[in-house]
Amino acid sequence: MQINSNYILVDTAKALDLALINLRQSKIMSIDTESSGYYTYYPKVCLIQINSNGKNYLIDPLKITNLSALGPLFEDPNILKIFHSAQDDIKALKRDFGFKFVNTADTMISSRLLSLEQSSLSHVVEHYHKVTLSKVEQKSNWEIRPLQKQQLKYAALDTAYLESIWLKMEEELKRRTLYEEAKSEFEFIASEEYVAKEGEGFSLGKFPDILNFTPLERRKILELLRYRDEKAKRINKASFRVFNNDKLSQAVKEQPNEDKCIEWFGKKDGSEIYKLLIAEYSDPIDTSELSKRHGEDLNEEENHKFENAKKWRLRIMRARRMEHSLLPSNKQLIVILRAAPKNLEELKALHVFSDWKVQNYGPSLLAAIQGLPFDSMINRLVAIRSKEAFVAKRRKKQNQNSKDEG
């Protein structure tokens, strides 16, 4: 098929009505979104790209107040909706507009099942079309109007190749008997309800070079991050744009006086940050607290089951020669072992992962958690890649890790 990178900007109700005439005739739609998340604390969808029947529609939700007419298209089981990283786009579209999705495909998940070297959109496009997508507009401010021509062209290219790529991936997934697994993953993502996350919008453990700070300095970093996060919420601005990490690190290391803090952070914020820097803290943060992971609050019996579950996961990874990103996470495993499902029906009711995983991983996982033999249950699973390719990739990763440590 021929790739069309031209676009039609849809920024009025009348333009949307015209676009819908064509979109309602669609059998396949490629969809992407651009959001304000790089600039705002609370992200919102600023552009919806839909490629269908050889046309690229760039729909502006900041200009069109009512997009409900798109809802029936997204729910139509006769129209295939293709995404790259469907989880991100579907979550955003559910959050902002309440859309529901039926009959979807995801080229990112497919790329992992097909064991491509990388799963980014740019890599996938290059792999299948030998085209290098520009990343210049990747961190554009999509909330500012009018959008520039280079932004619109960038946005249009994000969907231009998806249909062609999916048709090739679909054929390969079927040939390698991975298609049913892929479709089940797509259905699971599309069916997930959007749940707003509560709590702090940052992680101390991910703060740059946090291990190089003393326990007391880490406590001060944490207090500064909390202060920054609260301000970011109030003014709806991305946290790193309120105060950057380098400046916070410098303040903790150099312990500036109040005048210097005011010079760096402004009068009000500078005074408050100075108070946080000179406050007395009785609860410094040791290194061990930074590395806490899901599972460290389990009791002895739960921890034993968790270890069994992790051994099961490693066995699946090796048997299928696959990457961990396609396997149940620690968080998912803990939800399951704490719920203690007795059979596959109870496991499915938890809605932790796809129906394919329930049917194909469920029996062996439930056995593993109870400390029972499970190897015979996983021998029939299809390998993701050849043994040689799997070993080669693992060695490459180990060598890269050794270089990074050196």
Side-chain angles (χ1 to χ4, degrees):
M1 64 179 292
Q2 186 164 351
I3 304 302
N4 178 14
S5 61
N6 297 323
Y7 58 83
I8 300 169
L9 181 60
V10 180
D11 58 359
T12 66
K14 183 177 180 180
L16 179 61
D17 289 339
L18 292 173
L20 287 168
I21 294 173
N22 182 52
L23 291 175
R24 290 187 179 116
Q25 307 304 313
S26 300
K27 294 299 180 184
I28 298 177
M29 297 194 308
S30 301
I31 304 170
D32 188 36
T33 64
E34 304 297 342
S35 106
S36 65
Y38 192 70
Y39 289 84
T40 60
Y41 189 91
Y42 299 102
K44 66 179 176 182
V45 174
C46 299
L47 196 68
I48 303 172
Q49 302 100 283
I50 302 180
N51 184 298
S52 180
N53 293 329
K55 293 185 178 180
N56 281 320
Y57 297 101
L58 305 184
I59 301 172
D60 189 344
L62 304 190
K63 292 286 191 71
I64 305 173
T65 56
N66 186 357
L67 295 178
S68 60
L70 293 173
L73 300 178
F74 295 154
E75 291 186 65
D76 190 335
N78 297 311
I79 302 176
L80 175 66
K81 277 70 68 173
I82 307 171
F83 297 85
H84 188 83
S85 187
Q87 190 168 44
D88 296 331
D89 293 313
I90 287 178
K91 180 175 71 173
L93 290 167
K94 285 184 176 183
R95 178 196 67 219
D96 289 5
F97 309 105
F99 291 137
K100 296 181 181 179
F101 292 86
V102 176
N103 190 12
T104 62
D106 187 338
T107 55
M108 186 179 78
I109 289 177
S110 300
S111 71
R112 290 173 175 171
L113 281 168
L114 295 172
S115 65
L116 268 62
E117 190 69 22
Q118 298 176 37
S119 59
S120 68
L121 176 61
S122 58
H123 179 83
V124 172
V125 170
E126 189 165 358
H127 177 83
Y128 285 99
H129 284 279
K130 312 305 178 190
V131 172
T132 302
L133 295 181
S134 170
K135 298 181 181 180
V136 174
E137 302 299 328
Q138 196 169 37
K139 296 179 179 178
S140 281
N141 189 338
W142 295 96
E143 201 173 13
I144 293 177
R145 294 296 182 272
L147 291 169
Q148 302 302 305
K149 285 186 177 180
Q150 61 267 27
Q151 288 178 289
L152 296 171
K153 185 175 181 180
Y154 166 89
L157 284 171
D158 276 354
T159 54
Y161 296 92
L162 289 185
E163 181 178 343
S164 170
I165 290 170
W166 165 248
L167 293 176
K168 294 174 184 177
M169 286 182 159
E170 181 183 34
E171 183 179 345
E172 191 172 356
L173 287 166
K174 288 179 178 179
R175 181 175 59 79
R176 293 173 58 179
T177 64
L178 295 168
Y179 181 75
E180 293 305 319
E181 179 178 358
K183 289 297 287 182
S184 185
E185 292 301 305
F186 305 158
E187 289 168 8
F188 178 74
I189 289 171
S191 68
E192 283 188 293
E193 295 294 330
Y194 171 72
V195 179
K197 292 184 178 179
E198 299 291 338
E200 295 175 336
F202 60 87
S203 169
L204 180 62
K206 293 180 180 179
F207 190 83
D209 300 319
I210 192 64
L211 294 177
N212 294 334
F213 291 87
T214 67
L216 179 56
E217 287 172 340
R218 290 187 200 116
R219 167 55 59 186
K220 293 181 179 182
I221 288 286
L222 178 60
E223 297 306 321
L224 294 184
L225 289 176
R226 284 174 173 161
Y227 181 85
R228 181 177 73 175
D229 193 64
E230 286 303 315
K231 177 167 184 176
K233 288 179 184 177
R234 288 196 308 273
I235 64 176
N236 191 23
K237 191 174 184 178
S239 296
F240 77 95
R241 293 184 178 278
V242 176
F243 313 122
N244 65 53
N245 291 334
D246 289 343
K247 189 57 70 176
L248 296 184
S249 296
Q250 186 179 5
V252 169
K253 286 293 186 182
E254 296 184 10
Q255 292 292 299
N257 59 31
E258 186 170 5
D259 288 341
K260 180 60 72 172
C261 284
I262 290 173
E263 179 186 331
W264 287 354
F265 302 106
K267 187 173 182 179
K268 183 179 178 182
D269 292 320
S271 295
E272 292 301 317
I273 287 175
Y274 176 70
K275 291 176 185 176
L276 293 173
L277 291 173
I278 64 172
E280 293 186 9
Y281 299 101
S282 59
D283 50 352
I285 299 174
D286 292 327
T287 305
S288 59
E289 295 181 60
L290 296 174
S291 57
K292 283 186 176 180
R293 298 183 296 273
H294 290 293
E296 293 199 354
D297 59 342
L298 299 176
N299 61 39
E300 186 175 348
E301 181 182 358
E302 290 172 334
N303 191 61
H304 179 67
K305 291 180 178 181
F306 185 44
E307 291 302 318
N308 287 341
K310 289 194 292 184
K311 289 177 183 177
W312 165 86
R313 185 174 58 193
L314 181 61
R315 180 72 182 85
I316 292 285
M317 186 175 74
R318 289 175 175 170
R320 300 199 69 197
R321 303 166 199 149
M322 66 194 301
E323 297 300 322
H324 63 84
S325 62
L326 292 168
L327 287 163
S329 66
N330 284 352
K331 186 176 181 179
Q332 289 174 321
L333 293 178
I334 289 170
V335 169
I336 292 168
L337 68 88
R338 281 182 164 161
K342 298 180 179 62
N343 50 51
L344 296 188
E345 288 73 23
E346 292 183 5
L347 178 59
K348 181 178 179 178
L350 295 176
H351 201 69
V352 172
F353 44 51
S354 68
D355 287 353
W356 188 95
K357 282 192 171 87
V358 170
Q359 294 300 321
N360 291 274
Y361 289 164
S364 57
L365 174 56
L366 296 181
I369 288 174
Q370 297 302 320
L372 302 173
F374 60 84
D375 272 6
S376 62
M377 303 179 191
I378 64 176
N379 290 334
R380 62 184 177 82
L381 294 173
V382 176
I384 297 296
R385 56 163 64 88
S386 69
K387 185 176 181 180
E388 294 75 14
F390 181 63
V391 171
K393 187 163 186 178
R394 287 181 65 191
R395 284 177 179 167
K396 182 178 179 180
K397 187 174 182 179
Q398 289 170 352
N399 290 338
Q400 185 60 51
N401 290 339
S402 296
K403 289 180 180 178
D404 291 343
E405 290 172 3

